[in-house]
């Protein structure tokens, strides 16, 4: 008994130390990101890509009567800062480091030290990036479908679907639980393939760029490339308030790629979706402020109904 509790104490101390180091480590990282611009700097790439897509919206808008500071613009701008930076700073980084350590310790119980099943480190960098991008996106497509189908996940995902006017920043209006769900599901398969951390940067920023464009007020579909890449004219239907009978939970689940929707029969673009109504049934009762939206899924009484 005594021996056990000493072990427990040592383990607990280890996890607490990871949490503490994650917090201070991430804070130092964040400060150095802002003070040291470089070509692999998340902060400046995010600002640069956001300004670029916003300028495109201003100069060549799809819905010409939509305000530059559209409905929800400031809320979504805050979501960008929160979901891209602060959430990692205040919690996710610490949580995920503990999660990874717990997972490794759990594997250690079975004598497994390394879960890398496929070595891709020897491949050319572009091939590694492409493989990682496709696998990560396919996993996300599956997770996104579950966010619509499972009622408890839909409560969290409603935050993203509460967007009433589309613009690039809407990409980042989502509940922080989504980060936890997506990252957890992605972690094991990606770790098994043995990708290096440096590959994440390029793939991550490319996905942010495509995601910004998908939500932007731009009438683009990229021609034949639209069957591979998700695009604004396709993603707007994902936000449609009215759902067709054949897709009662939704359609166009793709994040960066549209190919999965075409392959698995969930693609749906019946006409030009420029002015369709966005949201979900009952969204008029959905909270409008950041704090209320974060609290919403945890409340027992749900005012709005599922689609
Ligand atoms: Zn969705
Ligand atoms: Zn969206």
């Amino acid at each position: 008994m005594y021996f056990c509790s000493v072990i427990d104490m040592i383990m607990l101390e280890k996890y607490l130390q990871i949490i503490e180091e994650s917090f201070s480590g991430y804070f130092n990282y964040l400060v150095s990101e802002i003070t040291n611009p470089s070509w692999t700097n998340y902060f400046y790439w995010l600002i640069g890509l956001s300004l670029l897509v916003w300028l495109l919206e201003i100069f060549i808008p799809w819905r010409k009567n939509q305000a530059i500071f559209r409905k929800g613009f400031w809320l979504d701008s805050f979501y960008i800062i929160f979901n891209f930076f602060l959430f990692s700073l205040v919690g996710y980084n610490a949580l995920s480091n503990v999660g990874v350590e717990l997972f490794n310790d759990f594997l250690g119980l079975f004598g497994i030290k390394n879960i890398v099943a496929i070595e891709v480190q020897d491949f050319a960098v572009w091939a590694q990036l492409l493989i990682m991008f496709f696998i990560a996106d396919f996993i996300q497509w599956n997770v996104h479908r579950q966010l619509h189908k499972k009622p408890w996940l839909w409560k969290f995902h409603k935050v993203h679907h509460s967007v009433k006017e589309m613009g690039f920043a809407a990409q980042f209006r989502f509940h922080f639980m989504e980060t936890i769900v997506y990252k957890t599901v992605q972690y094991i398969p990606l770790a098994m393939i043995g990708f290096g951390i440096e590959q994440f940067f390029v793939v991550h920023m490319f996905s942010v760029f495509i995601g910004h464009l998908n939500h932007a007020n731009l009438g683009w579909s990229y021609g034949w490339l639209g069957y591979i890449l998700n695009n604004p004219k396709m993603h707007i239907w994902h936000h449609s308030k009215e759902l067709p009978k054949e897709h009662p939970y939704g359609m166009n689940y793709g994040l960066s790629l549209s190919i999965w929707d075409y392959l698995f029969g969930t693609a749906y673009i019946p006409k030009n979706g420029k002015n369709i109504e966005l949201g979900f049934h009952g969204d008029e009762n959905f909270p409008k402020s950041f704090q209320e939206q974060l609290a919403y899924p945890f409340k027992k009484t749900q005012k709005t109904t599922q689609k």
Side-chain angles (χ1 to χ4, degrees), residues 11-269:
M11 294 295 269
L12 185 66
E13 213 161 280
K14 183 174 90 169
Y15 293 129
L16 287 176
Q17 201 181 345
I18 293 171
I19 292 177
E20 196 186 310
E21 280 168 7
S22 305
F23 272 104
S24 57
Y26 198 85
F27 184 74
N28 292 336
Y29 159 76
L30 201 71
V31 172
S32 79
E33 277 281 291
I34 295 169
T35 49
N36 299 304
S38 79
W39 286 107
T40 52
N41 184 303
Y42 279 109
F43 184 78
Y44 288 104
W45 269 102
L46 179 73
I47 290 182
L49 290 177
S50 301
L51 284 176
L52 172 69
V53 180
W54 197 28
L55 283 174
L56 289 170
E57 284 187 350
I58 293 168
F59 287 110
I60 42 168
W62 189 15
R63 290 168 297 276
K64 299 195 171 40
N65 50 357
Q66 182 172 305
I68 291 170
F69 294 95
R70 63 175 170 83
K71 207 184 276 176
F73 179 89
W74 295 111
L75 175 68
D76 294 347
S77 303
F78 183 74
Y79 266 109
I80 290 191
I81 297 167
F82 183 84
N83 279 327
F84 201 89
F85 291 108
L86 290 181
F87 179 59
S88 307
L89 175 66
V90 298
Y92 183 71
N93 193 48
L95 264 180
S96 63
N97 286 351
V98 169
V100 168
E101 194 66 21
L102 276 170
F103 182 66
N104 287 338
D105 286 347
F106 174 74
L107 291 177
L109 293 176
F110 306 96
I112 304 168
K113 287 211 175 68
N114 189 348
I115 59 161
V116 176
I118 312 164
E119 272 296 350
V120 293
Q121 306 281 356
D122 302 335
F123 291 15
V125 172
W126 66 265
Q128 288 189 43
L129 292 178
L130 209 65
I131 295 170
M132 182 189 222
F133 177 61
F134 268 77
I135 295 176
D137 197 72
F138 183 54
I139 298 170
Q140 287 180 310
W141 179 83
N142 279 287
V143 172
H144 190 188
R145 279 180 61 193
Q146 296 308 315
L147 292 177
H148 281 259
K149 282 192 173 161
K150 300 265 183 305
W152 71 276
L153 287 172
W154 169 242
K155 279 187 209 169
F156 291 102
H157 193 50
K158 266 180 175 174
V159 173
H160 183 62
H161 283 268
S162 70
V163 171
K164 297 297 287 178
E165 267 183 354
M166 290 278 260
F168 73 93
Q171 177 187 193
F172 279 92
R173 186 190 299 188
F174 57 82
H175 197 282
F176 68 82
M177 275 297 287
E178 286 200 21
T179 307
I180 296 178
V181 173
Y182 275 111
K183 292 277 159 75
T184 310
V185 176
Q186 267 180 326
Y187 176 75
I188 297 173
L190 290 183
M192 285 178 74
I193 306 169
F195 286 110
I197 192 76
E198 60 279 7
Q199 275 97 30
F200 272 110
F201 182 83
V202 182
V203 172
H204 191 44
M205 285 326 297
F206 183 68
S207 309
V208 166
F209 185 41
I210 299 293
H212 266 18
L213 291 171
N214 291 341
H215 294 85
N217 182 16
L218 294 169
W220 291 358
S221 58
Y222 316 139
W224 63 269
L225 248 184
Y227 290 101
I228 300 168
L229 270 187
N230 197 0
N231 51 79
K233 281 189 160 172
M234 183 172 192
H235 192 66
I236 200 156
W237 282 99
H238 179 67
H239 284 261
S240 168
K241 185 162 181 167
E242 289 306 324
L243 294 175
K245 264 198 271 10
E246 62 269 36
H247 299 293
Y249 293 99
M251 55 277 174
N252 303 354
Y253 296 110
L255 279 94
S256 298
L257 296 170
S258 58
I259 195 167
W260 316 121
D261 287 304
Y262 285 108
L263 281 176
F264 298 103
T266 47
Y268 181 81
I269 310 174

